[in-house]
Amino acid sequence: MILFPAIDLKGGQCVRLKLGDMQQATVYNTDPAAQAKSFEDQGFEWLHVVDLDGAFAGHSANGDAVEAILKATKNPVQLGGGIRTLDHIEAWLSRGLRRVILGTVAVRNPDLVIEACRKFPGHVAVGIDAKGGKVAVEGWAEASELGVIELARKFEGAGVAAIIYTDIDRDGILAGINWTSTLELAEAVSIPVIASGGLASLDDVRRMLEPDAQKLEGAISGRALYDGRIDPAEALALIKASRAKETA
């Protein structure tokens, strides 16, 4: 079980949005690379990065900030936002990114995702962002008629490393993760699922460690870490204790 700290990039700065609204962005750090190093120093093992501008533009828009992050941390990094072609994927992986996250293109062109998994095994994740149970695309600005599980099942057996599932209605408002929908998705597919959107407190971390959530790969935390609602040392100690119990 992994707790992924999140860095969302807007205008080269580390921000958090409320309900996916670019007009409701709070700047938490003007130096994303320093933030990445800070998360590593706190003991986190992975880093989740989103190029928010890129998600809306359809191409990488915070490339310099991402490259600075990759140089600043030894932790594996997964990146989403504006990655829409095989060339984009190859370029980022060649720079040391561990995983690319494909969102809009997974809806628009699922065959590209399958091809990417074949070319870059273990390095491709799918981001499924849902609003009212339906998949949203183009940086959450546009809704589709596609259901979450319907989309996820298109990639069964393709070699997708993980599905990052975000409930937009909870993102950035500290309402708690939508465990019902997240676990329903995890039960519906064999692909590991990472919970995102709304993680609010250590109670969510404890919930993540319950037996019925063990199928998850982990959860992403943003605002709760930045606001100090989750103590990193305490959260990581809970996860470490859970791992020790599993291997005992």
Side-chain angles (χ1 to χ4, degrees), residues 6-38:
I7 291 180
D8 287 0
L9 297 169
K10 181 176 185 284
Q13 299 179 317
C14 179
V15 308
R16 296 302 296 171
L17 303 185
K18 184 179 287 188
L19 301 173
D21 184 352
M22 288 286 270
Q23 304 307 312
Q24 296 190 68
T26 302
V27 176
Y28 280 98
N29 198 326
T30 58
D31 187 343
Q35 185 63 60
K37 184 67 169 68
S38 174

mmCIF file of all heavy atoms in Angstrom, residues 6-38:
data_model
loop_
_atom_site.group_PDB
_atom_site.id
_atom_site.type_symbol
_atom_site.label_atom_id
_atom_site.label_comp_id
_atom_site.label_asym_id
_atom_site.label_seq_id
_atom_site.Cartn_x
_atom_site.Cartn_y
_atom_site.Cartn_z
ATOM 1 N N ALA A 6 1.020 14.456 -3.777
ATOM 2 C CA ALA A 6 0.708 15.020 -5.088
ATOM 3 C C ALA A 6 1.294 16.411 -5.271
ATOM 4 O O ALA A 6 1.262 17.242 -4.362
ATOM 5 C CB ALA A 6 -0.809 15.076 -5.285
ATOM 6 N N ILE A 7 1.831 16.631 -6.464
ATOM 7 C CA ILE A 7 2.219 17.971 -6.895
ATOM 8 C C ILE A 7 1.429 18.285 -8.156
ATOM 9 O O ILE A 7 1.589 17.616 -9.183
ATOM 10 C CB ILE A 7 3.732 18.065 -7.179
ATOM 11 C CG1 ILE A 7 4.529 17.937 -5.869
ATOM 12 C CG2 ILE A 7 4.065 19.386 -7.876
ATOM 13 C CD1 ILE A 7 6.042 18.007 -6.048
ATOM 14 N N ASP A 8 0.547 19.269 -8.075
ATOM 15 C CA ASP A 8 -0.219 19.728 -9.230
ATOM 16 C C ASP A 8 0.414 21.020 -9.722
ATOM 17 O O ASP A 8 0.605 21.967 -8.945
ATOM 18 C CB ASP A 8 -1.678 19.982 -8.849
ATOM 19 C CG ASP A 8 -2.450 18.693 -8.622
ATOM 20 O OD1 ASP A 8 -1.859 17.602 -8.766
ATOM 21 O OD2 ASP A 8 -3.645 18.773 -8.291
ATOM 22 N N LEU A 9 0.742 21.057 -11.002
ATOM 23 C CA LEU A 9 1.477 22.180 -11.570
ATOM 24 C C LEU A 9 0.576 23.111 -12.374
ATOM 25 O O LEU A 9 -0.146 22.662 -13.267
ATOM 26 C CB LEU A 9 2.597 21.666 -12.475
ATOM 27 C CG LEU A 9 3.678 20.826 -11.778
ATOM 28 C CD1 LEU A 9 4.571 20.164 -12.814
ATOM 29 C CD2 LEU A 9 4.498 21.682 -10.825
ATOM 30 N N LYS A 10 0.645 24.384 -12.051
ATOM 31 C CA LYS A 10 -0.063 25.432 -12.806
ATOM 32 C C LYS A 10 0.856 26.634 -12.875
ATOM 33 O O LYS A 10 1.275 27.167 -11.849
ATOM 34 C CB LYS A 10 -1.374 25.800 -12.110
ATOM 35 C CG LYS A 10 -2.209 26.859 -12.833
ATOM 36 C CD LYS A 10 -3.540 27.073 -12.098
ATOM 37 C CE LYS A 10 -4.452 28.033 -12.867
ATOM 38 N NZ LYS A 10 -4.020 29.432 -12.728
ATOM 39 N N GLY A 11 1.198 27.035 -14.087
ATOM 40 C CA GLY A 11 2.100 28.168 -14.237
ATOM 41 C C GLY A 11 3.441 27.962 -13.574
ATOM 42 O O GLY A 11 4.050 28.918 -13.079
ATOM 43 N N GLY A 12 3.916 26.711 -13.552
ATOM 44 C CA GLY A 12 5.210 26.401 -12.959
ATOM 45 C C GLY A 12 5.221 26.347 -11.449
ATOM 46 O O GLY A 12 6.283 26.167 -10.837
ATOM 47 N N GLN A 13 4.053 26.501 -10.833
ATOM 48 C CA GLN A 13 3.958 26.489 -9.375
ATOM 49 C C GLN A 13 3.191 25.272 -8.881
ATOM 50 O O GLN A 13 2.422 24.658 -9.620
ATOM 51 C CB GLN A 13 3.266 27.766 -8.880
ATOM 52 C CG GLN A 13 4.001 29.042 -9.242
ATOM 53 C CD GLN A 13 3.280 30.282 -8.757
ATOM 54 O OE1 GLN A 13 2.064 30.391 -8.869
ATOM 55 N NE2 GLN A 13 4.032 31.230 -8.209
ATOM 56 N N CYS A 14 3.410 24.946 -7.633
ATOM 57 C CA CYS A 14 2.735 23.824 -6.993
ATOM 58 C C CYS A 14 1.428 24.338 -6.382
ATOM 59 O O CYS A 14 1.449 25.165 -5.463
ATOM 60 C CB CYS A 14 3.649 23.256 -5.909
ATOM 61 S SG CYS A 14 2.970 21.890 -5.007
ATOM 62 N N VAL A 15 0.302 23.858 -6.912
ATOM 63 C CA VAL A 15 -0.998 24.371 -6.483
ATOM 64 C C VAL A 15 -1.932 23.209 -6.126
ATOM 65 O O VAL A 15 -1.645 22.051 -6.382
ATOM 66 C CB VAL A 15 -1.676 25.221 -7.589
ATOM 67 C CG1 VAL A 15 -0.736 26.304 -8.088
ATOM 68 C CG2 VAL A 15 -2.156 24.350 -8.751
ATOM 69 N N ARG A 16 -3.073 23.555 -5.535
ATOM 70 C CA ARG A 16 -4.180 22.608 -5.386
ATOM 71 C C ARG A 16 -5.439 23.310 -5.863
ATOM 72 O O ARG A 16 -5.651 24.493 -5.580
ATOM 73 C CB ARG A 16 -4.365 22.159 -3.929
ATOM 74 C CG ARG A 16 -3.210 21.384 -3.340
ATOM 75 C CD ARG A 16 -2.883 20.134 -4.109
ATOM 76 N NE ARG A 16 -3.959 19.143 -4.096
ATOM 77 C CZ ARG A 16 -3.958 18.057 -4.849
ATOM 78 N NH1 ARG A 16 -2.987 17.837 -5.713
ATOM 79 N NH2 ARG A 16 -4.961 17.197 -4.768
ATOM 80 N N LEU A 17 -6.246 22.563 -6.586
ATOM 81 C CA LEU A 17 -7.528 23.085 -7.047
ATOM 82 C C LEU A 17 -8.644 22.646 -6.118
ATOM 83 O O LEU A 17 -8.487 21.705 -5.339
ATOM 84 C CB LEU A 17 -7.850 22.573 -8.463
ATOM 85 C CG LEU A 17 -6.834 22.851 -9.578
ATOM 86 C CD1 LEU A 17 -7.404 22.376 -10.910
ATOM 87 C CD2 LEU A 17 -6.464 24.317 -9.650
ATOM 88 N N LYS A 18 -9.773 23.297 -6.233
ATOM 89 C CA LYS A 18 -10.981 22.873 -5.532
ATOM 90 C C LYS A 18 -11.979 22.409 -6.582
ATOM 91 O O LYS A 18 -12.330 23.156 -7.496
ATOM 92 C CB LYS A 18 -11.559 24.022 -4.701
ATOM 93 C CG LYS A 18 -12.774 23.622 -3.867
ATOM 94 C CD LYS A 18 -13.291 24.790 -3.041
ATOM 95 C CE LYS A 18 -12.378 25.114 -1.871
ATOM 96 N NZ LYS A 18 -12.991 26.131 -0.975
ATOM 97 N N LEU A 19 -12.394 21.139 -6.483
ATOM 98 C CA LEU A 19 -13.374 20.554 -7.405
ATOM 99 C C LEU A 19 -12.938 20.671 -8.869
ATOM 100 O O LEU A 19 -13.757 20.772 -9.775
ATOM 101 C CB LEU A 19 -14.758 21.201 -7.218
ATOM 102 C CG LEU A 19 -15.356 21.086 -5.811
ATOM 103 C CD1 LEU A 19 -16.626 21.902 -5.706
ATOM 104 C CD2 LEU A 19 -15.627 19.631 -5.464
ATOM 105 N N GLY A 20 -11.624 20.643 -9.085
ATOM 106 C CA GLY A 20 -11.106 20.675 -10.442
ATOM 107 C C GLY A 20 -11.222 22.007 -11.148
ATOM 108 O O GLY A 20 -11.046 22.094 -12.359
ATOM 109 N N ASP A 21 -11.505 23.063 -10.413
ATOM 110 C CA ASP A 21 -11.729 24.388 -11.004
ATOM 111 C C ASP A 21 -10.408 25.164 -11.038
ATOM 112 O O ASP A 21 -9.854 25.508 -9.992
ATOM 113 C CB ASP A 21 -12.776 25.146 -10.176
ATOM 114 C CG ASP A 21 -13.134 26.496 -10.781
ATOM 115 O OD1 ASP A 21 -12.484 26.925 -11.758
ATOM 116 O OD2 ASP A 21 -14.079 27.128 -10.259
ATOM 117 N N MET A 22 -9.931 25.461 -12.260
ATOM 118 C CA MET A 22 -8.653 26.176 -12.399
ATOM 119 C C MET A 22 -8.718 27.584 -11.811
ATOM 120 O O MET A 22 -7.683 28.196 -11.525
ATOM 121 C CB MET A 22 -8.256 26.246 -13.880
ATOM 122 C CG MET A 22 -7.796 24.924 -14.457
ATOM 123 S SD MET A 22 -6.143 24.421 -13.900
ATOM 124 C CE MET A 22 -5.106 25.181 -15.157
ATOM 125 N N GLN A 23 -9.912 28.118 -11.647
ATOM 126 C CA GLN A 23 -10.056 29.452 -11.051
ATOM 127 C C GLN A 23 -9.973 29.400 -9.527
ATOM 128 O O GLN A 23 -9.913 30.442 -8.873
ATOM 129 C CB GLN A 23 -11.391 30.081 -11.472
ATOM 130 C CG GLN A 23 -11.586 30.177 -12.984
ATOM 131 C CD GLN A 23 -10.426 30.863 -13.686
ATOM 132 O OE1 GLN A 23 -9.986 31.930 -13.252
ATOM 133 N NE2 GLN A 23 -9.918 30.253 -14.745
ATOM 134 N N GLN A 24 -10.011 28.195 -8.975
ATOM 135 C CA GLN A 24 -9.926 28.049 -7.517
ATOM 136 C C GLN A 24 -8.629 27.333 -7.149
ATOM 137 O O GLN A 24 -8.626 26.253 -6.567
ATOM 138 C CB GLN A 24 -11.127 27.268 -6.975
ATOM 139 C CG GLN A 24 -12.465 27.955 -7.183
ATOM 140 C CD GLN A 24 -13.574 27.270 -6.421
ATOM 141 O OE1 GLN A 24 -13.612 27.288 -5.188
ATOM 142 N NE2 GLN A 24 -14.503 26.650 -7.139
ATOM 143 N N ALA A 25 -7.524 27.943 -7.544
ATOM 144 C CA ALA A 25 -6.206 27.359 -7.299
ATOM 145 C C ALA A 25 -5.514 28.067 -6.135
ATOM 146 O O ALA A 25 -5.457 29.292 -6.086
ATOM 147 C CB ALA A 25 -5.345 27.469 -8.556
ATOM 148 N N THR A 26 -5.020 27.278 -5.196
ATOM 149 C CA THR A 26 -4.237 27.798 -4.075
ATOM 150 C C THR A 26 -2.784 27.422 -4.299
ATOM 151 O O THR A 26 -2.467 26.247 -4.498
ATOM 152 C CB THR A 26 -4.711 27.190 -2.745
ATOM 153 O OG1 THR A 26 -6.096 27.467 -2.563
ATOM 154 C CG2 THR A 26 -3.929 27.771 -1.575
ATOM 155 N N VAL A 27 -1.884 28.414 -4.301
ATOM 156 C CA VAL A 27 -0.463 28.143 -4.484
ATOM 157 C C VAL A 27 0.140 27.719 -3.136
ATOM 158 O O VAL A 27 0.023 28.428 -2.143
ATOM 159 C CB VAL A 27 0.277 29.390 -5.019
ATOM 160 C CG1 VAL A 27 1.775 29.113 -5.113
ATOM 161 C CG2 VAL A 27 -0.280 29.810 -6.372
ATOM 162 N N TYR A 28 0.789 26.553 -3.141
ATOM 163 C CA TYR A 28 1.407 26.057 -1.913
ATOM 164 C C TYR A 28 2.925 26.146 -1.933
ATOM 165 O O TYR A 28 3.559 26.169 -0.889
ATOM 166 C CB TYR A 28 0.981 24.604 -1.660
ATOM 167 C CG TYR A 28 -0.393 24.508 -1.032
ATOM 168 C CD1 TYR A 28 -1.509 24.244 -1.822
ATOM 169 C CD2 TYR A 28 -0.581 24.702 0.330
ATOM 170 C CE1 TYR A 28 -2.775 24.168 -1.251
ATOM 171 C CE2 TYR A 28 -1.839 24.624 0.904
ATOM 172 C CZ TYR A 28 -2.929 24.356 0.111
ATOM 173 O OH TYR A 28 -4.175 24.287 0.667
ATOM 174 N N ASN A 29 3.501 26.140 -3.131
ATOM 175 C CA ASN A 29 4.952 26.249 -3.216
ATOM 176 C C ASN A 29 5.300 26.765 -4.606
ATOM 177 O O ASN A 29 4.779 26.261 -5.599
ATOM 178 C CB ASN A 29 5.614 24.884 -2.969
ATOM 179 C CG ASN A 29 7.090 25.003 -2.611
ATOM 180 O OD1 ASN A 29 7.786 25.885 -3.106
ATOM 181 N ND2 ASN A 29 7.569 24.106 -1.766
ATOM 182 N N THR A 30 6.152 27.774 -4.673
ATOM 183 C CA THR A 30 6.561 28.301 -5.972
ATOM 184 C C THR A 30 7.735 27.512 -6.547
ATOM 185 O O THR A 30 8.162 27.776 -7.674
ATOM 186 C CB THR A 30 6.959 29.786 -5.851
ATOM 187 O OG1 THR A 30 8.020 29.898 -4.887
ATOM 188 C CG2 THR A 30 5.772 30.633 -5.413
ATOM 189 N N ASP A 31 8.241 26.540 -5.779
ATOM 190 C CA ASP A 31 9.379 25.721 -6.217
ATOM 191 C C ASP A 31 8.993 24.242 -6.159
ATOM 192 O O ASP A 31 9.218 23.573 -5.141
ATOM 193 C CB ASP A 31 10.586 25.998 -5.314
ATOM 194 C CG ASP A 31 11.858 25.316 -5.801
ATOM 195 O OD1 ASP A 31 11.755 24.387 -6.626
ATOM 196 O OD2 ASP A 31 12.956 25.704 -5.348
ATOM 197 N N PRO A 32 8.401 23.712 -7.226
ATOM 198 C CA PRO A 32 7.960 22.311 -7.214
ATOM 199 C C PRO A 32 9.088 21.319 -6.962
ATOM 200 O O PRO A 32 8.870 20.276 -6.321
ATOM 201 C CB PRO A 32 7.362 22.119 -8.617
ATOM 202 C CG PRO A 32 6.963 23.484 -9.051
ATOM 203 C CD PRO A 32 7.998 24.391 -8.476
ATOM 204 N N ALA A 33 10.289 21.611 -7.441
ATOM 205 C CA ALA A 33 11.416 20.700 -7.221
ATOM 206 C C ALA A 33 11.742 20.593 -5.736
ATOM 207 O O ALA A 33 11.999 19.503 -5.218
ATOM 208 C CB ALA A 33 12.636 21.180 -8.008
ATOM 209 N N ALA A 34 11.717 21.726 -5.062
ATOM 210 C CA ALA A 34 11.962 21.708 -3.613
ATOM 211 C C ALA A 34 10.864 20.929 -2.888
ATOM 212 O O ALA A 34 11.129 20.216 -1.912
ATOM 213 C CB ALA A 34 12.047 23.140 -3.078
ATOM 214 N N GLN A 35 9.634 21.063 -3.359
ATOM 215 C CA GLN A 35 8.527 20.320 -2.761
ATOM 216 C C GLN A 35 8.718 18.817 -2.962
ATOM 217 O O GLN A 35 8.472 18.017 -2.062
ATOM 218 C CB GLN A 35 7.202 20.759 -3.381
ATOM 219 C CG GLN A 35 5.965 20.131 -2.729
ATOM 220 C CD GLN A 35 5.807 20.535 -1.280
ATOM 221 O OE1 GLN A 35 5.673 21.714 -0.976
ATOM 222 N NE2 GLN A 35 5.835 19.561 -0.378
ATOM 223 N N ALA A 36 9.163 18.435 -4.144
ATOM 224 C CA ALA A 36 9.419 17.018 -4.425
ATOM 225 C C ALA A 36 10.487 16.460 -3.489
ATOM 226 O O ALA A 36 10.340 15.361 -2.946
ATOM 227 C CB ALA A 36 9.849 16.845 -5.879
ATOM 228 N N LYS A 37 11.559 17.221 -3.299
ATOM 229 C CA LYS A 37 12.648 16.787 -2.401
ATOM 230 C C LYS A 37 12.140 16.707 -0.974
ATOM 231 O O LYS A 37 12.504 15.782 -0.224
ATOM 232 C CB LYS A 37 13.822 17.757 -2.499
ATOM 233 C CG LYS A 37 15.039 17.344 -1.679
ATOM 234 C CD LYS A 37 15.652 16.069 -2.248
ATOM 235 C CE LYS A 37 17.015 15.769 -1.622
ATOM 236 N NZ LYS A 37 16.959 15.403 -0.210
ATOM 237 N N SER A 38 11.288 17.644 -0.580
ATOM 238 C CA SER A 38 10.725 17.634 0.769
ATOM 239 C C SER A 38 9.911 16.365 1.006
ATOM 240 O O SER A 38 10.024 15.738 2.062
ATOM 241 C CB SER A 38 9.853 18.869 0.983
ATOM 242 O OG SER A 38 9.179 18.820 2.222
#
